[in-house]
Amino acid sequence: MMKGGFEVVHATLDMIQPHHEPLWDNFASSVAFPTSVNSVPRQTVENRCVNLERNELSEWVEQVTKQLIDDLPPEPETRPDHSSSLQDADTSTMVCDDSFGAPLLPAGDFSRPRKIRRSVLDCGAGEELQWSNNELGNVNNVSENKLNRLDEQGLSLITLLLECAVAISVDNLGEAHRMLLELTQMASPYAASCAERVVAYFAKAMSSRVINSWLGICSPLINYKTVHCAFQAFNNVSPFIKFAHFTSNQAILEAFHRRDRVHIIDLDIMQGLQWPALFHILATRIEGAPHVRMTGMGSSMELLVETGKQLSNFAKRLGMSFEFHPIAKKFGEIDISMIQLRRGETLAVHWLQHSLYDATGPDWKTLRLFEQLGPRVITLVEQDLSHGGVFLDRFVGSLHYYSTMFDSLGAYLLADDPNRHRIEHCLLYREINNILAIGGPARSGEDKFKHWRSELSRSNCFVQLPMSSNSMAQAQLILNMFPPAHGYSLVQGDGTLRLGWKDTSLFTASAWTSSHAFR
């Protein structure tokens, strides 16, 4: 086992404890690994059992969507979409109101979708889901005790939401609009019920979808500072981001063993939250600190420069030689010459995937650039959620995925917690909106890979590096900070690490190396 394997965790655990002071001030302070879960707010611990009994939404959604649809056209999205530029929320030119209200569409007397024949859909997680329209409101297959825990209004809202998705998938936009009027009036993102909160955000995203389909207009611009603040809040209250950071850092640390010149490319660096942890351990290596060069990708040069300054200041305090190179472009849209490769450097590429916006551009171009770079290690953290396929595929997969995410937040945070609303509104809703209202092959003109792990394994240019026992141990240490009743699950298999909520996998971490890296 590599020496100092656990030091990545022990060196920076103020990143794990909740932050209330300015972000970068934390990294200058001394750190120690907590040995208990006392950092969990007392009020949250006292209420979590009550919340857990009520948070059965994701289980209900999974069972109901196993009875899905009938009579849909084979390719509902092959029609002209008027929105070839709708792939990215960050490239649009129209700013929409963030308030919750009815969709701005003309009302009419429309009828519900008629008879629908049974078909099979891929939900994006590799499962085949079946559901017939006649059985849409039938919840007899769900155990009575689960139904008793979910309020009746929440169930009726979810059922109406599913009917609305069917209407959108067959281009019955008028009927979809009528149902969305009901949903937006009945569901609130501030409700105590997870079901109602999920419906509120899905209804808003689907309203945008209907507007975009009718008028061909774009979706809202993203305020990246707001997103980054919400991302930090998510990092403070949930293990998912910490899991991504620490498992990736461990794989990069192992790839940099005894290397004195290293180069890290972060495909969407944001605030650079994960890198002080790695810098600290690199600066204290027995063989001495390497020279570290970092290329940070992102959409805003202003934010990239600020992140670079903060990382440079932190590296300077550690006495570590450091360079930062910002590139305000998508990775898949640049030429390899922009990376400024240098002879003798060991190269690592890190990609924490999300659905907030398209951070990398066309997948096939991103893969080609990976092949050209030939990195020593690629650390990949994927959401277990497919962005491809027709609208109904994306709807079913995202409803199950985000119901699970809302459940996990509801078990830890109270309904009126401002951080919970910030995370749900600024992160989860934006992802839902990007998947349902903006994304999709017919809209973007580009097919997205279902799973990057599969694409890398099929390529002759890459070999998987099994996640080490140190990575597993660190992930378990992070989960130990959350009371066991919270329901987080960690699974190691097929060379990967998977973190989920109860029986649903949400994030998968893997590491890869170029087949030419060791020649």
Side-chain angles (χ1 to χ4, degrees), residues 305-349:
V305 169
E306 178 61 26
T307 296
K309 287 180 180 177
Q310 299 285 11
L311 288 172
S312 297
N313 290 337
F314 185 74
K316 185 177 180 180
R317 290 199 293 272
L318 293 173
M320 188 176 73
S321 177
F322 177 74
E323 297 177 53
F324 184 80
H325 180 216
I327 300 179
K329 287 182 176 292
K330 295 179 181 179
F331 184 75
E333 297 176 354
I334 66 172
D335 186 83
I336 192 171
S337 62
M338 297 184 68
I339 301 296
Q340 301 179 9
L341 296 176
R342 296 176 187 171
R343 186 179 297 274
E345 284 185 333
T346 299
L347 179 64
V349 176

Side-chain angles (χ1 to χ4, degrees), residues 164-212:
C164 181
V166 173
I168 291 176
S169 71
V170 297
D171 274 347
N172 192 344
L173 301 183
E175 172 65 3
H177 168 54
R178 188 192 66 74
M179 287 187 274
L180 286 168
L181 284 173
E182 291 183 49
L183 289 168
T184 52
Q185 291 169 8
M186 296 167 61
S188 167
Y190 302 97
S193 162
C194 277
E196 189 172 336
R197 294 167 87 111
V198 168
V199 168
Y201 286 117
F202 267 79
K204 182 170 171 61
M206 291 162 72
S207 296
S208 298
R209 165 69 185 226
V210 171
I211 293 173
N212 290 343

